[in-house]
Amino acid sequence: MIDLKYLQKNFDEASAKLVKKGVDEAILENLKELFATLKSANATLEEAKAEQNRMSKLFGEYMREKKDITKLKAEVNAKKEEIVELQATARKAQEALEKVALAMPNFPDDSVPVGANEDDNVEIKKVLEPREFDFKPKEHWELAELNGWIDFERGVKLAKSRFSVLRGESARLERALINFFLDVNRQRGFEEVCVPFINNATMLQGTGQLPKFEDDLFKIDGEDLYLIPTAEVPLTNLYNDEILTAKELPILLTGYTPCFRKEAGSAGRDTRGMIRQHQFDKVEMVAITTPHQSEEIFKMMVENASDILTQLGLPHRLVELCGGDLGFSASTTIDLEVWLPGQNKYREISSISNTRDFQARRAKIRYKDGKKNVLVNTLNGSALAVGRTLVAIMENYQNEDGTVEIPEVLKKYM
RNA sequence: GGACAGUUGGGUGAGUUGGCUGAAACCACAUCCCUGCUAAGGAUGCGUACUCGUAAGGGUACCGAGAGUUCGAAUCUCUCACUGUCCGCCA
């Protein structure tokens, strides 16, 4: 959630930021007004309640002194009726505000490039040269078929489209990658955690998936529970509604989880292969930091993810997302895109974001800075998406006959 | 899933004849004082959110969550959640 006080006090500045992210200024104007309405509604309500409390206190005295209370009672009852109305008004204002505020995306950082969509993203640098092939490189699904690595049909049979089954060596490679990622992250200082893959609605709201993106989530029927779309949700919300101490920070977490996404709205995109599945494995990094620490940690996280790709010998590039392509919760995001020779292009394999205090405000994660409670900064990033790494290995390490070499660093994990 | 018990501030834990308890006490923590070190002692402070105020200092709400009874609820009623114990089931 954005800082509504800031929006109110510096409206022009705030709206300029959000326009960069593609938010209509009229909605912001509306939000500002709703906030002001709520404030004044609450003020009058609280005043009325204060009066009622004062009168109620008198009852005790009156009773002890055996005074007549009928007049006082009549007064309080009148006040009560007034309060009921004021309460309804305040409640309506509250609901109206929440509806808009929870759907409002985060402010982008000033340094974020202006742009409408992914075409305006800015490449920062390339790492490793793509390999020269003396044959036409195949796409991963062809290789998967040749090697018997992925069983698309039976995945669909078991669940539905966009599910698949890994078999034999590919299944072991998947497991090796998870272990490799976790080990690297741990060496960087991330604590490994193993969390529930199902979280409740409050947690999903904390990290920003709810209420706006309910359609992208698998919900458990009849329960207040959802399959997590990313480990960012449980890892960040580990500290939901907590007040940390300054010396605990930064907290660095890493965890492997499967991720479940409905992929609503991506019909027809990446229908072949396992680039876009309803269930995929991912190893995630999450950092809980002070505002002062977050820039540095962010850089470290980007470096870490890039380093993993380098260790795997996978050519990739770093891309800074423009305002229009930035996710809902992010202030700034750097994507890592891995080179896929079969597709002849770079594809996203990791996305690392600083959400500043946006998630912290929703999830009520604070720390004690002296006497004051201050919202933390939360960061998240993949290190890495496992399925897409598997795809990248297949395409980059393929031989002309369709066989695939195993990267050196993974051999000890197989 | 069934039965019973419980859910109070960072922790332990009072408070269940409704008002004087937003909450005793102890511990932890912070600042200060004293003691040459160490051990110990003393004073004060110490929940969260919103809100009014330059500030000092006020106001409102919160004793698992929600609803209700009442002039007034941590204290009474209902619903739900969670925890514990026993039973059932089970990797």
Side-chain angles (χ1 to χ4, degrees):
Chain A
M1 188 133 85
I2 57 168
D3 185 348
L4 292 176
K5 272 188 233 168
Y6 168 74
L7 178 75
Q8 199 187 36
K9 284 185 188 148
N10 312 284
F11 184 77
D12 291 340
E13 190 182 299
S15 64
K17 287 182 189 213
L18 283 171
V19 164
K20 192 167 162 188
K21 215 162 168 173
V23 177
D24 189 347
E25 196 167 5
I27 300 174
L28 284 163
E29 195 72 61
N30 179 236
L31 178 62
K32 181 184 159 192
E33 254 165 57
L34 287 171
F35 187 55
T37 307
L38 174 66
K39 256 175 112 169
S40 74
N42 273 336
T44 44
L45 171 64
E46 281 175 15
E47 209 174 300
K49 277 187 175 173
E51 233 172 288
Q52 195 206 356
N53 285 345
R54 241 173 278 135
M55 287 193 258
S56 288
K57 280 240 169 80
L58 285 178
F59 265 81
E61 279 177 40
Y62 277 43
M63 307 273 266
R64 246 171 282 138
E65 294 168 17
K66 312 260 190 229
K67 285 204 228 166
D68 183 31
I69 55 166
T70 47
K71 194 179 160 213
L72 183 60
K73 194 160 182 170
E75 277 181 66
V76 181
N77 279 332
K79 184 55 74 179
K80 263 180 85 176
E81 276 176 43
E82 189 186 320
I83 286 175
V84 169
E85 258 177 65
L86 291 173
Q87 223 149 20
T89 310
R91 179 175 227 147
K92 246 183 260 169
Q94 175 78 37
E95 279 166 7
L97 176 74
E98 261 176 26
K99 201 173 158 202
V100 179
L102 285 174
M104 189 61 61
N106 195 5
F107 296 117
D109 280 356
D110 292 337
S111 58
V112 166
V114 177
N117 53 48
E118 62 178 61
D119 298 332
D120 299 319
N121 293 343
V122 176
E123 180 181 298
I124 300 170
K125 67 167 172 179
K126 286 195 169 82
V127 181
L128 299 182
E129 274 294 304
R131 165 187 161 199
E132 296 283 342
F133 286 87
D134 47 16
F135 58 93
K136 187 176 185 308
K138 297 178 183 62
E139 300 219 38
H140 75 276
W141 55 79
E142 264 183 278
L143 297 162
E145 195 173 328
L146 282 169
N147 291 291
W149 277 14
I150 307 179
D151 191 335
F152 292 107
E153 288 78 12
R154 291 197 177 91
V156 174
K157 178 174 75 179
L158 288 171
K160 58 183 255 179
S161 64
R162 288 198 193 279
F163 284 90
S164 57
V165 176
L166 297 178
R167 305 192 67 146
E169 196 167 31
S170 67
R172 290 202 297 127
L173 193 52
E174 178 93 354
R175 182 156 57 88
L177 284 169
I178 293 167
N179 287 332
F180 172 57
F181 294 163
L182 287 170
D183 280 351
V184 173
N185 293 347
R186 208 180 59 231
Q187 281 153 23
R188 282 267 183 177
F190 289 86
E191 178 195 355
E192 183 174 338
V193 289
C194 190
V195 290
F197 303 157
I198 297 175
N199 282 193
N200 62 45
T202 306
M203 302 305 122
L204 272 302
Q205 186 177 102
T207 30
Q209 285 76 18
L210 287 180
K212 204 177 174 190
F213 303 103
E214 170 128 40
D215 290 348
D216 295 330
L217 300 169
F218 285 101
K219 187 176 195 306
I220 310 281
D221 189 29
E223 305 264 3
D224 179 40
L225 296 170
Y226 298 80
L227 300 184
I228 55 170
T230 160
E232 168 196 340
V233 178
L235 292 185
T236 307
N237 283 295
L238 219 47
Y239 296 99
N240 189 295
D241 200 16
E242 291 194 25
I243 300 171
L244 303 159
T245 59
K247 63 182 173 202
E248 287 178 84
L249 304 176
I251 294 170
L252 305 176
L253 304 167
T254 187
Y256 150 73
T257 72
C259 303
F260 302 92
R261 299 183 183 178
K262 281 226 178 135
E263 295 295 346
S266 32
R269 291 176 66 191
D270 303 310
T271 46
R272 277 208 87 174
M274 55 176 297
I275 289 281
R276 194 175 299 276
Q277 299 271 286
H278 285 310
Q279 174 186 327
F280 61 94
D281 289 326
K282 183 157 60 67
V283 173
E284 185 79 357
M285 307 175 277
V286 158
I288 317 275
T289 75
T290 66
H292 182 68
Q293 296 164 336
S294 70
E295 305 262 351
E296 191 189 332
I297 301 284
F298 180 72
K299 280 185 202 144
M300 182 273 277
M301 287 165 72
V302 172
E303 200 179 294
N304 185 48
S306 174
D307 180 53
I308 292 175
L309 284 169
T310 305
Q311 283 195 52
L312 286 167
L314 293 172
H316 58 283
R317 62 173 189 169
L318 277 60
V319 172
E320 175 159 25
L321 299 199
C322 70
D325 200 29
L326 219 47
F328 180 74
S329 297
S331 277
T332 181
T333 297
I334 287 181
D335 274 5
L336 269 61
E337 297 181 345
V338 70
W339 175 249
L340 296 184
Q343 292 196 7
N344 196 39
K345 57 177 147 179
Y346 285 97
R347 294 299 305 257
E348 176 185 339
I349 195 166
S350 170
S351 189
I352 296 148
S353 299
N354 189 352
T355 79
R356 305 281 171 189
D357 61 10
F358 184 81
Q359 292 180 325
R361 187 172 291 106
R362 290 174 159 247
K364 303 193 198 77
I365 309 176
R366 296 142 294 172
Y367 75 100
K368 276 250 184 266
D369 184 11
K371 281 216 151 190
K372 281 198 313 191
N373 292 333
V374 180
L375 292 168
V376 299
N377 277 196
T378 65
L379 302 91
N380 63 79
S382 13
L384 299 165
V386 183
R388 289 191 180 180
T389 309
L390 189 62
V391 167
I393 288 173
M394 288 163 74
E395 294 202 6
N396 282 281
Y397 281 84
Q398 61 179 297
N399 300 314
E400 188 161 15
D401 63 358
T403 55
V404 174
E405 303 292 330
I406 302 296
E408 203 53 42
V409 288
L410 291 180
K411 285 189 175 153
K412 66 173 176 179
Y413 288 96
M414 296 284 289

Coordinates of all heavy atoms in Angstrom, one line a residue, chain A residues 5 39 46 49-50 52-53 56 59 63 73 76-77 80 91 243 366 368 373, chain B residues 10 19-20 45-52 59-61 66-67 70-72:
Chain A
K5 N -0.7 9.5 3.5 CA -0.4 10.8 4.0 C 0.5 11.5 3.0 O 0.4 12.7 2.8 CB 0.3 10.7 5.4 CG -0.6 10.6 6.5 CD 0.1 10.7 7.8 CE -0.3 9.6 8.7 NZ 0.5 9.4 9.9
K39 N -11.0 10.8 7.1 CA -10.4 11.5 8.3 C -11.4 12.3 9.0 O -11.5 12.3 10.2 CB -9.2 12.4 7.8 CG -7.9 11.8 8.1 CD -6.8 12.6 7.5 CE -6.0 13.3 8.6 NZ -4.8 13.9 8.0
E46 N -15.2 10.2 16.6 CA -14.5 10.0 17.8 C -14.9 11.0 18.9 O -14.9 10.7 20.1 CB -13.0 10.1 17.5 CG -12.5 8.8 17.0 CD -11.0 8.8 16.5 OE1 -10.3 9.8 16.9 OE2 -10.6 7.9 15.8
K49 N -18.0 9.8 20.5 CA -17.7 8.7 21.4 C -17.1 9.2 22.7 O -17.4 8.7 23.8 CB -16.8 7.7 20.7 CG -17.5 6.7 19.8 CD -16.5 5.7 19.3 CE -17.2 4.6 18.5 NZ -16.2 3.7 17.9
A50 N -16.2 10.2 22.6 CA -15.6 10.7 23.7 C -16.7 11.3 24.7 O -16.6 11.1 25.9 CB -14.6 11.8 23.4
Q52 N -19.8 10.4 24.8 CA -20.6 9.3 25.4 C -19.8 8.6 26.6 O -20.4 8.3 27.6 CB -20.8 8.2 24.3 CG -21.9 7.2 24.7 CD -21.8 5.9 24.1 OE1 -21.0 5.7 23.2 NE2 -22.7 5.0 24.5
N53 N -18.5 8.4 26.3 CA -17.7 7.8 27.4 C -17.7 8.7 28.7 O -17.8 8.2 29.8 CB -16.2 7.7 26.9 CG -16.1 6.5 25.9 OD1 -17.0 5.7 25.8 ND2 -15.0 6.5 25.2
S56 N -21.0 8.2 30.4 CA -21.1 6.8 31.0 C -20.3 6.7 32.3 O -20.8 6.1 33.2 CB -20.6 5.8 30.0 OG -21.5 5.6 28.9
F59 N -22.2 7.7 35.4 CA -23.2 6.7 35.9 C -22.6 6.2 37.3 O -23.4 6.0 38.2 CB -23.4 5.6 34.9 CG -24.6 5.8 34.1 CD1 -24.6 6.6 33.0 CD2 -25.8 5.2 34.4 CE1 -25.7 6.8 32.2 CE2 -26.9 5.4 33.7 CZ -26.9 6.2 32.6
M63 N -24.7 6.6 40.8 CA -25.2 5.4 41.5 C -24.7 5.4 42.9 O -25.5 5.1 43.8 CB -24.8 4.1 40.8 CG -25.0 4.1 39.3 SD -26.7 3.4 38.9 CE -26.3 1.7 38.6
K73 N -29.5 9.2 31.5 CA -29.8 8.1 30.6 C -30.4 8.5 29.3 O -30.0 8.1 28.2 CB -30.7 7.1 31.3 CG -30.7 5.8 30.6 CD -31.3 4.7 31.6 CE -31.3 3.3 31.0 NZ -31.6 2.3 32.0
V76 N -27.6 10.1 27.1 CA -26.7 9.1 26.5 C -27.4 8.4 25.4 O -26.8 8.1 24.4 CB -26.3 8.1 27.6 CG1 -25.3 7.1 27.0 CG2 -25.6 8.8 28.8
N77 N -28.7 8.1 25.6 CA -29.3 7.3 24.5 C -29.4 8.2 23.2 O -29.3 7.6 22.1 CB -30.7 6.9 25.0 CG -30.7 5.7 25.8 OD1 -29.8 4.9 25.7 ND2 -31.6 5.6 26.8
K80 N -26.2 8.0 21.6 CA -25.9 6.7 21.0 C -26.5 6.7 19.6 O -25.9 6.1 18.7 CB -26.6 5.6 21.9 CG -25.6 5.0 22.8 CD -26.2 3.9 23.6 CE -26.3 2.6 22.9 NZ -26.9 1.5 23.8
R91 N -17.7 4.0 8.4 CA -17.5 2.7 7.9 C -17.5 2.7 6.3 O -16.7 2.1 5.7 CB -18.5 1.7 8.4 CG -18.4 0.3 7.9 CD -19.3 -0.6 8.6 NE -18.7 -1.8 9.0 CZ -19.0 -2.5 10.1 NH1 -19.9 -2.1 10.8 NH2 -18.3 -3.6 10.3
I243 N 7.1 -6.8 14.9 CA 8.0 -5.6 15.1 C 9.3 -6.2 15.4 O 9.5 -6.9 16.4 CB 7.5 -4.7 16.2 CG1 6.1 -4.2 15.9 CG2 8.5 -3.6 16.4 CD1 5.5 -3.4 17.1
R366 N 7.5 -4.1 10.7 CA 8.2 -2.9 11.2 C 9.4 -3.3 12.0 O 9.5 -4.5 12.4 CB 7.3 -2.1 12.1 CG 6.0 -1.5 11.4 CD 4.8 -1.5 12.3 NE 4.4 -2.9 12.6 CZ 3.5 -3.2 13.5 NH1 2.8 -2.3 14.1 NH2 3.2 -4.5 13.7
K368 N 12.1 -1.6 15.3 CA 12.2 -0.6 16.3 C 13.5 0.2 15.9 O 14.6 -0.3 15.9 CB 12.4 -1.1 17.7 CG 11.1 -1.4 18.3 CD 10.9 -0.5 19.5 CE 9.6 -0.8 20.2 NZ 8.4 -0.1 19.8
N373 N 8.7 2.9 15.7 CA 8.5 1.8 14.8 C 8.5 2.3 13.4 O 7.8 3.2 13.0 CB 7.2 1.1 15.1 CG 7.1 0.4 16.4 OD1 8.2 0.0 16.9 ND2 6.0 0.3 17.0
Chain B
rG10 P 3.5 -6.8 22.8 OP1 3.5 -5.6 21.9 OP2 2.6 -8.0 22.5 O5' 4.9 -7.3 23.0 C5' 5.7 -7.8 22.0 C4' 6.8 -8.6 22.6 O4' 7.8 -7.7 23.2 C3' 6.4 -9.6 23.6 O3' 5.9 -10.8 23.1 C2' 7.8 -9.8 24.4 O2' 8.6 -10.6 23.7 C1' 8.3 -8.4 24.3 N9 8.0 -7.6 25.6 C8 7.2 -6.5 25.6 N7 7.0 -6.0 26.9 C5 7.8 -6.9 27.6 C6 8.0 -6.9 29.0 O6 7.6 -6.1 29.9 N1 8.9 -8.0 29.4 C2 9.4 -8.9 28.5 N2 10.2 -9.8 29.1 N3 9.2 -8.9 27.2 C4 8.4 -7.9 26.8
rG19 P -16.5 -3.6 37.2 OP1 -15.1 -3.7 37.5 OP2 -17.5 -3.2 38.3 O5' -16.8 -2.5 36.1 C5' -15.7 -1.8 35.5 C4' -16.1 -0.4 35.3 O4' -17.5 -0.3 35.5 C3' -15.5 0.6 36.3 O3' -14.6 1.4 35.6 C2' -16.6 1.4 36.9 O2' -16.4 2.8 36.6 C1' -17.8 1.0 36.0 N9 -19.1 1.0 36.5 C8 -19.6 0.3 37.6 N7 -21.0 0.4 37.7 C5 -21.3 1.2 36.6 C6 -22.6 1.6 36.1 O6 -23.7 1.4 36.6 N1 -22.5 2.3 35.0 C2 -21.4 2.6 34.3 N2 -21.5 3.4 33.2 N3 -20.1 2.2 34.7 C4 -20.2 1.5 35.8
rC20 P -13.1 1.5 35.5 OP1 -12.8 2.0 34.2 OP2 -12.6 0.2 36.0 O5' -13.0 2.6 36.6 C5' -11.8 3.4 36.7 C4' -11.4 3.6 38.1 O4' -12.5 3.6 38.9 C3' -10.6 2.4 38.6 O3' -9.3 2.4 38.2 C2' -10.7 2.6 40.1 O2' -9.8 3.5 40.6 C1' -12.2 3.1 40.2 N1 -13.1 2.1 40.6 C2 -13.3 1.9 42.0 O2 -12.7 2.6 42.8 N3 -14.2 1.0 42.4 C4 -14.9 0.2 41.5 N4 -15.7 -0.7 42.0 C5 -14.7 0.4 40.1 C6 -13.8 1.4 39.7
rG45 P 7.6 6.6 35.8 OP1 6.5 7.5 35.8 OP2 7.6 5.4 36.6 O5' 8.1 6.3 34.4 C5' 8.4 7.3 33.4 C4' 9.1 6.7 32.2 O4' 10.3 6.1 32.6 C3' 8.3 5.6 31.5 O3' 7.3 6.1 30.7 C2' 9.4 4.9 30.7 O2' 9.8 5.6 29.6 C1' 10.6 5.0 31.7 N9 10.7 3.7 32.5 C8 10.3 3.5 33.8 N7 10.5 2.3 34.2 C5 11.1 1.7 33.1 C6 11.5 0.3 32.9 O6 11.5 -0.6 33.7 N1 12.0 0.1 31.6 C2 12.0 1.1 30.6 N2 12.5 0.7 29.5 N3 11.6 2.3 30.8 C4 11.2 2.5 32.0
rC46 P 5.9 5.2 30.5 OP1 5.0 6.0 29.8 OP2 5.6 4.6 31.8 O5' 6.4 4.0 29.6 C5' 7.2 4.3 28.4 C4' 7.7 3.0 27.8 O4' 8.8 2.5 28.7 C3' 6.7 1.9 27.8 O3' 5.9 2.0 26.6 C2' 7.6 0.7 27.7 O2' 8.2 0.4 26.5 C1' 8.8 1.1 28.7 N1 8.6 0.6 30.1 C2 8.9 -0.7 30.4 O2 9.4 -1.4 29.5 N3 8.8 -1.2 31.6 C4 8.3 -0.4 32.6 N4 8.1 -0.9 33.8 C5 7.9 1.0 32.3 C6 8.0 1.4 31.0
rG47 P 4.4 1.8 26.7 OP1 3.6 3.0 26.5 OP2 4.1 1.0 28.0 O5' 4.1 0.9 25.5 C5' 5.1 -0.2 25.2 C4' 4.4 -1.2 24.3 O4' 3.2 -1.7 25.0 C3' 3.8 -0.6 23.0 O3' 4.8 -0.6 22.0 C2' 2.7 -1.6 22.7 O2' 3.2 -2.7 22.1 C1' 2.1 -1.9 24.1 N9 1.0 -1.0 24.5 C8 1.0 -0.1 25.5 N7 -0.2 0.5 25.6 C5 -1.0 -0.1 24.6 C6 -2.3 0.1 24.3 O6 -3.1 0.9 24.8 N1 -2.7 -0.7 23.2 C2 -1.9 -1.6 22.6 N2 -2.5 -2.3 21.6 N3 -0.6 -1.8 22.9 C4 -0.2 -1.0 23.9
rU48 P 4.7 0.6 20.9 OP1 6.0 0.5 20.1 OP2 4.4 1.9 21.6 O5' 3.5 0.2 20.0 C5' 3.5 -1.0 19.3 C4' 2.2 -1.2 18.6 O4' 1.2 -1.4 19.6 C3' 1.7 -0.1 17.8 O3' 2.4 0.0 16.5 C2' 0.2 -0.4 17.7 O2' 0.0 -1.4 16.7 C1' 0.0 -0.9 19.1 N1 -0.5 0.1 20.0 C2 -1.9 0.4 19.9 O2 -2.6 -0.1 19.1 N3 -2.3 1.4 20.8 C4 -1.6 2.1 21.7 O4 -2.1 2.9 22.4 C5 -0.2 1.7 21.7 C6 0.3 0.8 20.9
rA49 P 2.5 1.4 15.8 OP1 3.4 1.2 14.6 OP2 2.9 2.4 16.8 O5' 1.0 1.7 15.3 C5' 0.4 0.9 14.3 C4' -1.0 1.2 14.1 O4' -1.7 1.0 15.4 C3' -1.3 2.7 13.9 O3' -1.0 3.1 12.6 C2' -2.8 2.8 14.3 O2' -3.6 2.2 13.2 C1' -2.8 1.9 15.5 N9 -2.6 2.6 16.7 C8 -1.5 2.9 17.5 N7 -1.7 3.6 18.5 C5 -3.1 3.9 18.5 C6 -3.9 4.6 19.3 N6 -3.5 5.2 20.5 N1 -5.2 4.7 19.0 C2 -5.7 4.1 17.9 N3 -5.0 3.3 17.0 C4 -3.7 3.3 17.4
rC50 P -0.6 4.6 12.3 OP1 -0.1 4.6 10.9 OP2 0.3 5.0 13.4 O5' -1.9 5.4 12.4 C5' -3.0 5.1 11.5 C4' -4.3 5.7 12.0 O4' -4.6 5.2 13.3 C3' -4.2 7.2 12.3 O3' -4.4 8.0 11.1 C2' -5.4 7.4 13.2 O2' -6.7 7.3 12.5 C1' -5.3 6.2 14.1 N1 -4.5 6.5 15.3 C2 -5.1 7.1 16.3 O2 -6.3 7.4 16.2 N3 -4.4 7.5 17.5 C4 -3.1 7.2 17.5 N4 -2.5 7.5 18.7 C5 -2.4 6.5 16.5 C6 -3.1 6.2 15.4
rU51 P -3.7 9.4 11.0 OP1 -4.0 9.9 9.6 OP2 -2.3 9.3 11.4 O5' -4.5 10.3 12.0 C5' -5.9 10.5 11.8 C4' -6.5 11.2 13.0 O4' -6.3 10.4 14.2 C3' -5.8 12.5 13.4 O3' -6.3 13.6 12.6 C2' -6.2 12.7 14.9 O2' -7.5 13.1 15.0 C1' -6.1 11.2 15.3 N1 -4.8 10.9 15.9 C2 -4.6 11.3 17.2 O2 -5.4 11.9 17.9 N3 -3.3 11.0 17.8 C4 -2.3 10.4 17.1 O4 -1.2 10.2 17.7 C5 -2.6 10.0 15.8 C6 -3.8 10.3 15.2
rC52 P -5.3 14.9 12.4 OP1 -6.0 15.6 11.3 OP2 -3.9 14.4 12.3 O5' -5.5 15.7 13.7 C5' -6.8 16.4 14.0 C4' -6.7 17.1 15.3 O4' -6.5 16.1 16.4 C3' -5.5 18.0 15.5 O3' -5.6 19.2 14.9 C2' -5.4 18.1 17.0 O2' -6.4 19.0 17.5 C1' -5.8 16.7 17.4 N1 -4.6 15.9 17.7 C2 -4.0 16.0 19.0 O2 -4.5 16.7 19.8 N3 -2.9 15.3 19.2 C4 -2.4 14.5 18.3 N4 -1.3 13.8 18.6 C5 -3.0 14.4 17.0 C6 -4.1 15.1 16.7
rG59 P -7.9 12.1 27.3 OP1 -8.9 12.0 28.3 OP2 -6.7 11.2 27.3 O5' -8.6 11.9 25.9 C5' -9.6 12.8 25.5 C4' -10.0 12.5 24.1 O4' -9.0 12.8 23.2 C3' -10.3 11.0 23.8 O3' -11.6 10.6 24.2 C2' -10.1 11.0 22.2 O2' -11.3 11.6 21.6 C1' -9.0 12.0 22.1 N9 -7.7 11.3 22.0 C8 -6.7 11.2 23.0 N7 -5.7 10.5 22.7 C5 -6.0 10.1 21.4 C6 -5.2 9.2 20.5 O6 -4.1 8.7 20.7 N1 -5.9 9.0 19.3 C2 -7.1 9.5 19.0 N2 -7.6 9.1 17.8 N3 -7.8 10.3 19.8 C4 -7.2 10.5 21.0
rU60 P -11.9 9.2 24.7 OP1 -13.2 9.1 25.2 OP2 -10.7 8.7 25.5 O5' -11.8 8.4 23.3 C5' -12.8 8.6 22.3 C4' -12.5 7.8 21.1 O4' -11.3 8.2 20.5 C3' -12.3 6.3 21.3 O3' -13.5 5.6 21.5 C2' -11.5 5.9 20.1 O2' -12.4 5.8 18.9 C1' -10.6 7.1 19.9 N1 -9.3 7.0 20.5 C2 -8.3 6.2 19.8 O2 -8.6 5.8 18.7 N3 -7.1 6.1 20.4 C4 -6.8 6.6 21.6 O4 -5.6 6.4 22.1 C5 -7.8 7.3 22.3 C6 -9.0 7.5 21.7
rA61 P -13.5 4.3 22.4 OP1 -14.9 3.9 22.6 OP2 -12.7 4.6 23.7 O5' -12.7 3.3 21.6 C5' -13.2 2.8 20.3 C4' -12.2 2.0 19.6 O4' -11.1 2.8 19.3 C3' -11.7 0.8 20.3 O3' -12.6 -0.3 20.4 C2' -10.4 0.5 19.5 O2' -10.7 -0.1 18.3 C1' -9.9 2.0 19.2 N9 -9.0 2.4 20.2 C8 -9.2 3.2 21.4 N7 -8.1 3.5 22.0 C5 -7.1 2.8 21.4 C6 -5.7 2.6 21.6 N6 -5.0 3.2 22.6 N1 -5.0 1.9 20.7 C2 -5.7 1.3 19.6 N3 -7.0 1.4 19.3 C4 -7.6 2.1 20.2
rG66 P -12.4 -7.7 15.3 OP1 -12.1 -6.5 14.4 OP2 -12.3 -7.6 16.8 O5' -13.8 -8.3 14.9 C5' -14.1 -8.4 13.5 C4' -15.4 -9.2 13.4 O4' -15.3 -10.5 14.0 C3' -16.6 -8.6 14.1 O3' -17.2 -7.5 13.4 C2' -17.6 -9.8 14.2 O2' -18.2 -10.1 12.9 C1' -16.5 -10.9 14.5 N9 -16.5 -11.1 16.0 C8 -15.5 -10.6 16.8 N7 -15.7 -11.0 18.1 C5 -16.9 -11.7 18.0 C6 -17.6 -12.3 19.1 O6 -17.4 -12.4 20.3 N1 -18.8 -12.9 18.6 C2 -19.2 -12.9 17.3 N2 -20.3 -13.6 17.0 N3 -18.5 -12.4 16.3 C4 -17.4 -11.8 16.7
rA67 P -18.0 -6.4 14.2 OP1 -18.5 -5.4 13.2 OP2 -17.2 -6.0 15.4 O5' -19.3 -7.2 14.8 C5' -20.4 -7.4 13.9 C4' -21.4 -8.3 14.6 O4' -20.7 -9.5 15.2 C3' -22.2 -7.8 15.7 O3' -23.2 -6.9 15.3 C2' -22.7 -9.0 16.4 O2' -23.8 -9.6 15.7 C1' -21.5 -9.9 16.3 N9 -20.7 -9.8 17.5 C8 -19.5 -9.1 17.7 N7 -19.0 -9.2 19.0 C5 -20.0 -10.0 19.6 C6 -20.1 -10.4 20.9 N6 -19.2 -10.2 21.9 N1 -21.2 -11.2 21.2 C2 -22.1 -11.5 20.3 N3 -22.1 -11.1 19.0 C4 -21.0 -10.4 18.7
rU70 P -30.0 -3.9 25.4 OP1 -31.4 -3.7 25.8 OP2 -29.6 -3.4 24.0 O5' -29.1 -3.3 26.5 C5' -29.3 -3.6 27.8 C4' -28.2 -3.0 28.7 O4' -27.0 -3.7 28.3 C3' -27.9 -1.5 28.4 O3' -28.8 -0.7 29.1 C2' -26.5 -1.4 28.9 O2' -26.5 -1.4 30.4 C1' -25.9 -2.8 28.5 N1 -25.1 -2.6 27.2 C2 -23.8 -2.4 27.3 O2 -23.2 -2.3 28.4 N3 -23.1 -2.2 26.1 C4 -23.7 -2.4 24.9 O4 -23.0 -2.2 23.9 C5 -25.1 -2.6 24.9 C6 -25.8 -2.8 26.0
rC71 P -29.3 0.6 28.4 OP1 -30.3 1.3 29.3 OP2 -29.7 0.3 27.0 O5' -28.0 1.5 28.3 C5' -28.0 2.7 27.5 C4' -26.8 3.5 27.9 O4' -27.0 4.0 29.3 C3' -25.5 2.8 27.9 O3' -24.9 2.7 26.7 C2' -24.7 3.6 28.9 O2' -24.2 4.8 28.2 C1' -25.7 4.1 29.9 N1 -25.8 3.2 31.1 C2 -24.7 3.3 32.0 O2 -23.8 4.1 31.8 N3 -24.7 2.5 33.1 C4 -25.7 1.6 33.3 N4 -25.7 0.9 34.4 C5 -26.8 1.5 32.3 C6 -26.8 2.3 31.3
rG72 P -24.2 1.3 26.2 OP1 -23.7 1.5 24.9 OP2 -25.2 0.2 26.5 O5' -23.0 1.2 27.2 C5' -21.9 2.1 27.1 C4' -20.9 1.9 28.2 O4' -21.5 2.1 29.4 C3' -20.4 0.4 28.3 O3' -19.3 0.3 27.4 C2' -19.9 0.4 29.7 O2' -18.7 1.1 29.9 C1' -21.0 1.2 30.4 N9 -22.0 0.4 31.0 C8 -23.3 0.2 30.5 N7 -24.1 -0.6 31.2 C5 -23.2 -0.9 32.3 C6 -23.5 -1.7 33.4 O6 -24.5 -2.3 33.7 N1 -22.4 -1.8 34.2 C2 -21.2 -1.2 34.0 N2 -20.2 -1.4 34.9 N3 -20.9 -0.4 33.0 C4 -22.0 -0.3 32.2

